[in-house]
């Protein structure tokens, strides 16, 4: 609209549930129910806040 200014939001858009459902139905049709027997691995956005005794990071335990 003329005379208005717009800016993009800093937040990432959330996925549309109907799109996720269509992807799941497509995968089910192509791979069958076995495609959903194993849950996907977690996707960690940042490192854990937890510390081991002595203040060590969990990655240092090995």
């Amino acid at each position: 609209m003329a005379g208005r200014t717009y800016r993009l939001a800093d937040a990432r858009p959330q996925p549309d549930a109907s799109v996720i459902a269509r992807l799941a139905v497509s995968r089910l049709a192509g791979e069958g129910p076995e495609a959903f027997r194993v849950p996907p691995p977690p996707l960690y956005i940042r490192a854990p806040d937890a510390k081991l005794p002595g203040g060590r990071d969990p990655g240092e335990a090995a």
Side-chain angles (χ1 to χ4, degrees):
M1 294 186 172
R4 293 189 182 200
T5 59
Y6 298 93
R7 70 176 185 86
L8 296 176
D10 294 333
R12 293 175 46 182
Q14 299 298 314
D16 186 326
S18 65
V19 173
I20 302 299
R22 282 195 301 271
L23 288 171
V25 167
S26 174
R27 185 171 176 194
L28 182 62
E31 301 177 38
E34 290 299 316
F36 299 99
R37 297 255 186 249
V38 177
L43 173 64
Y44 296 105
I45 306 299
R46 63 186 180 104
D49 293 331
K51 296 285 185 186
L52 293 172
R56 296 178 307 162
D57 288 325
E60 298 174 9

